Amino acid sequence: MHSGLRLFGIAGAVMAFVAPAGAEEASHLQPYQMVRSLQLVQDRIATGDHAALPMQQKLLEMTDKTIRDADTAVFDEPRNFRALLIYGMSGGNPLTLERTVSHLTLGDADKTISEGIVGYLRGNPRSAQAALEPVDPMILPRELGAFLALVKGAVLTNEDPAKALIMFDQARLLGTGTLVEEASLRRTIMLATSQKDAARFIDSSRQYASRYLRSPYASQFANAFVRGVAELHDAIPLDGIAQVADLMNPEQKKTTYLRIARRAAIEGITELSAFASRKARENPDEDKRSVDSRAILYSGLSSITSGTSDEILEKLSKVDRDSLSQNDKKLLDAAKSVASELTGAPPPLASLARVPAPPAAPESTQPSIAEQVEAQAAAASELSAPAAQKSAQADETDAMLITAREKLDAIDKLLGETIQ
């Protein structure tokens, strides 16, 4: 999207203005220069360059001041007007955008685009959709077109998923290597899952994993990937899952496989759980005991849901309880309790002590074995955070990273997480 060397020079110049003595000099930069520098920094953060973190908040503040202080005549320059719109969609202050636009005399095309963006930022997607419907992002300047395609995709997700996917493809094409592409890929992955498009799901997951695993939003990708693999398991070959996982570092790979194994085991997807458990144990790990215990547990759950193993309790007895998270301990107890009922053996004392028996259901609506296990583990809260996620959370105690993520979160909310 940018000319790297030229814009890096601009960003470097802006960095020099961060010092109090240089702040006044920064005001002489045009809005388009400020916004391009902001985009460059945000794009570097999206690809995992944490060295760019200190600049983001300062650039947002400086850009906001530049726009607020600018004479309306400044926005007669097309580059500055486009920068104003991009600033609003890049995590800037929406009030600054709305206030500035309200004082401008605009042509029909610019007025339509402005109304659509302002409507979107106001939280009125229907208004934004109506205003932006005739706008073709592909004929606009790339920087503006990329953001508009992403916004159009977001507002179309529920009403016209097929067209939303086209918009996300356009956003990726126009915004290759940027925060826009990163966000478009995540939305494509989630939408492909809901649309049962397994081929698109795997292709987009592969692209994301090859480019953005160090993004602040990588945990959202991981959530979407695990969910999609479980929901589309009938249409996704196991080697397709492995192709995506092989792009991850060992820790990410192990954690992803364990999460897939756990979800598949609970949902009774035996082959997928067994595959993911086996792959998780293949990866080197400092705490091999923990990985083995979790893999054995999830593999044991697969045996329960299929009802094919007479050695369920023996397998589960090999699980090192002390190496499990609290939620997985409860899941282990629930699995042992259900397994005991299946085999006719008395439930282990630990299970009796910790797991309340689920209420009996009428015979015609008796829950499946998988549902029984999940019901008995319902006392647990959400799935425990995997090791990689916990590590990321620890890293976020750094104040700069927290600030950067908050601003990127603000951008993401503006773009709209419309797929649950």
Side-chain angles (χ1 to χ4, degrees):
M1 180 180 287
H2 308 304
S3 173
L5 289 176
R6 180 169 60 87
L7 287 179
F8 185 79
I10 295 174
V14 175
M15 291 178 76
F17 298 141
V18 172
E24 183 177 348
E25 189 175 355
S27 64
H28 298 300
L29 291 176
Q30 294 288 304
Y32 82 88
Q33 294 174 306
M34 298 293 296
V35 171
R36 284 185 177 180
S37 298
L38 173 64
Q39 286 182 277
L40 176 62
V41 169
Q42 291 179 337
D43 293 343
R44 287 167 60 184
I45 294 172
T47 55
D49 183 0
H50 291 180
L53 291 175
M55 280 303 301
Q56 182 180 232
Q57 181 62 37
K58 190 64 179 179
L59 276 171
L60 282 166
E61 294 172 0
M62 293 166 64
T63 303
D64 186 73
K65 186 177 187 307
T66 295
I67 291 174
R68 283 178 172 271
D69 293 347
D71 187 273
T72 55
V74 169
F75 298 100
D76 291 339
E77 163 61 54
R79 290 179 299 180
N80 285 332
F81 177 69
R82 291 195 298 267
L84 171 65
L85 301 180
I86 293 170
Y87 166 74
M89 294 183 286
S90 296
N93 187 340
L95 295 178
T96 297
L97 170 65
E98 187 172 358
R99 185 185 111 181
T100 304
V101 167
S102 69
H103 290 90
L104 301 180
T105 302
L106 302 173
D108 290 342
D110 288 341
K111 184 177 181 181
T112 295
I113 294 175
S114 299
E115 288 176 348
I117 295 174
V118 169
Y120 186 75
L121 297 180
R122 282 177 173 172
N124 191 340
R126 290 188 178 277
S127 171
Q129 182 178 341
L132 296 177
E133 197 280 331
V135 177
D136 181 1
M138 296 300 292
I139 66 174
L140 297 173
R142 291 176 67 89
E143 293 178 340
L144 180 60
F147 272 99
L148 283 175
L150 182 56
V151 168
K152 288 190 68 172
V155 299
L156 286 168
T157 292
N158 293 325
E159 295 191 13
D160 193 343
K163 191 170 182 179
L165 285 170
I166 293 174
M167 291 295 102
F168 292 147
D169 285 344
Q170 290 184 5
R172 290 163 50 198
L173 179 64
L174 294 170
T176 302
T178 70
L179 186 65
V180 170
E181 182 186 34
E182 190 273 348
S184 298
L185 280 170
R186 278 188 290 112
R187 284 161 175 75
T188 297
I189 291 165
M190 292 185 285
L191 191 52
T193 298
S194 66
Q195 295 301 297
K196 308 300 182 186
D197 189 341
R200 185 185 287 264
F201 170 81
I202 285 294
D203 182 62
S204 298
S205 296
R206 188 186 302 115
Q207 290 184 58
Y208 190 99
S210 67
R211 301 176 191 176
Y212 296 108
L213 284 180
R214 296 186 65 223
S215 161
Y217 295 120
S219 62
Q220 293 184 18
F221 158 71
N223 293 339
F225 181 66
V226 171
R227 173 189 169 192
V229 166
E231 294 191 14
L232 302 175
H233 68 277
D234 285 336
I236 297 177
L238 296 180
D239 61 352
I241 300 171
Q243 288 175 12
V244 176
D246 286 344
L247 295 169
M248 303 175 182
N249 66 39
E251 176 68 17
Q252 293 169 328
K253 186 175 181 180
K254 174 204 69 180
T255 300
T256 298
Y257 275 131
L258 284 172
R259 293 182 64 191
I260 292 172
R262 190 185 203 278
R263 180 158 185 160
I266 290 173
E267 296 185 11
I269 311 171
T270 307
E271 182 183 6
L272 177 59
S273 182
F275 164 78
S277 296
R278 183 178 67 254
K279 297 295 284 186
R281 299 179 74 179
E282 289 177 358
N283 288 290
D285 185 82
E286 294 180 2
D287 189 0
K288 190 69 173 176
R289 183 182 65 172
S290 175
V291 176
D292 285 348
S293 293
R294 294 170 69 187
I296 293 170
L297 169 59
Y298 306 149
S299 177
L301 284 173
S302 298
S303 299
I304 293 176
T305 56
S306 65
T308 60
S309 176
D310 294 329
E311 300 176 346
I312 300 169
L313 285 173
E314 181 181 351
K315 177 181 287 189
L316 294 176
S317 69
K318 297 177 182 178
V319 175
D320 182 354
R321 181 185 180 83
D322 292 338
S323 67
L324 298 177
S325 68
Q326 283 300 115
N327 288 327
D328 273 351
K329 286 178 182 177
K330 294 174 182 178
L331 189 59
L332 173 62
D333 291 340
K336 285 183 177 180
S337 179
V338 173
S340 297
E341 293 175 10
L342 290 175
T343 60
L349 293 178
S351 299
L352 290 173
R354 294 181 173 86
V355 184
E363 185 174 349
S364 60
T365 59
Q366 186 68 26
S368 68
I369 295 171
E371 290 170 335
Q372 292 179 50
V373 172
E374 187 64 3
Q376 293 208 38
S381 56
E382 289 296 317
L383 306 183
S384 56
Q389 183 178 337
K390 290 178 181 177
S391 176
Q393 290 171 346
D395 290 342
E396 288 172 11
T397 56
D398 182 278
M400 288 194 309
L401 183 54
I402 291 174
T403 299
R405 286 203 55 159
E406 286 175 348
K407 293 313 300 181
L408 289 176
D409 285 342
I411 299 168
D412 216 47
K413 287 177 182 177
L414 291 177
L415 295 175
E417 288 292 349
T418 55
I419 308 173
Q420 300 299 322

